[in-house]
Amino acid sequence: MDDTGSHPSRRGEDFSAELAGKGWYHSFKLPDGTLIEGYNRLEVLQERYARMPIPQSLAGKRVLDIGAWDGWFSFEAERNGAAVTAVDCVEIANFLSLHRALASRVEYRILDFYDLPQAGLRPFDFVFFLGVLYHLKHPLLALEIVCALTTDTAIVESFVTDADTWREHTNEVPTMEFYETD
C-alpha cells in the first residue's frame, strides 16, 4: 500500500500523467516527416505490429480495429493495403486529426463494443482486439463476438496481472479464472 492507502499500480507505473501531458497514446510519423510523440514509442508500436501473425501485404484484406484510440494500428494496416474499419466507444479527436492528415479511407465508427453484432458489419479477415478485453464486463462474451467477426485471425492482446504470483495478491486486486471444460 502507498501513502494514500491504495495499492500501487500492478503495471509498476502510473502512466496517466505522462499520457495526459503528451495528449497521444500512440506515436506517429507523418508523411512530411513530422513526429508525434505519444506514450507508446513508434519503435515499440512497429515491433508489436511486426510480431502479429498477419501477412506483410494486406491488399484485398479487411481489418477491424476494435478500440482503435489514436488509430496507429488502423492506419498501419491501411498503409499495408487493407480496407480498415476502426471502432471505439467514444470519438477520439486525435484519430480524426490523423485521418485528415493522412487522407485516410479508414471507416471510423463510434460503437459500444456489445453493439458490434447488430452494427451490420460483415466478417473481417483480421481483427485487432488490443488492450480492450480487460475493460469489458463480459470477457468470454467479448471473445465470442470477436471470433464471430473474424474469418482468418483475431489478434487479442490483454494484460495479465502478476501471472506468476497472482495467488499472493488475491486480497489486493480482482482475480478471474476460467476453466474451459468444467
Side-chain angles (χ1 to χ4, degrees):
M1 240 182 248
D2 64 18
D3 296 349
T4 66
S6 64
H7 294 282
S9 170
R10 305 307 295 168
R11 294 181 125 177
E13 64 180 282
D14 179 357
F15 66 95
S16 58
E18 184 179 353
L19 177 57
K22 290 183 181 248
W24 294 82
Y25 186 66
H26 301 120
S27 295
F28 293 88
K29 186 171 185 178
L30 300 179
D32 67 2
T34 301
L35 185 63
I36 297 171
E37 289 284 346
Y39 175 76
N40 280 303
R41 293 187 340 268
L42 189 57
E43 304 79 39
V44 172
L45 293 166
Q46 291 167 334
E47 180 183 313
R48 284 173 61 196
Y49 189 87
R51 286 193 322 254
M52 291 181 177
I54 57 177
Q56 189 170 1
S57 171
L58 293 171
K61 302 296 182 184
R62 298 181 69 242
V63 171
L64 174 62
D65 185 3
I66 300 170
W69 202 252
D70 292 333
W72 191 88
F73 291 95
S74 301
F75 299 126
E76 186 67 10
E78 179 184 42
R79 191 178 71 76
N80 286 290
V84 179
T85 299
V87 173
D88 219 311
C89 61
V90 295
E91 187 173 87
I92 306 297
N94 290 349
F95 185 101
L96 295 172
S97 173
L98 280 165
H99 195 271
R100 284 187 300 275
L102 297 171
S104 175
R105 293 184 323 278
V106 169
E107 180 185 355
Y108 188 46
R109 308 266 310 259
I110 309 305
L111 293 166
D112 181 85
F113 175 82
Y114 294 109
D115 291 337
L116 286 173
Q118 295 80 34
L121 300 171
R122 296 185 347 233
F124 295 82
D125 300 292
F126 301 98
V127 174
F128 300 161
F129 191 50
L130 312 174
V132 176
L133 185 65
Y134 51 85
H135 291 288
L136 299 175
K137 183 175 182 177
H138 305 289
L140 296 178
L141 175 59
L143 292 172
E144 290 177 12
I145 291 169
V146 167
C147 289
L149 289 167
T150 308
T151 60
D152 190 319
T153 304
I155 299 161
V156 179
E157 185 178 88
S158 195
F159 179 67
V160 176
T161 314
D162 300 319
D164 296 329
T165 61
W166 67 270
R167 284 184 178 89
E168 297 169 21
H169 304 285
T170 57
N171 293 327
E172 297 175 23
V173 295
T175 301
M176 180 178 85
E177 290 184 60
F178 173 63
Y179 297 94
E180 187 172 353
T181 57
D182 57 18

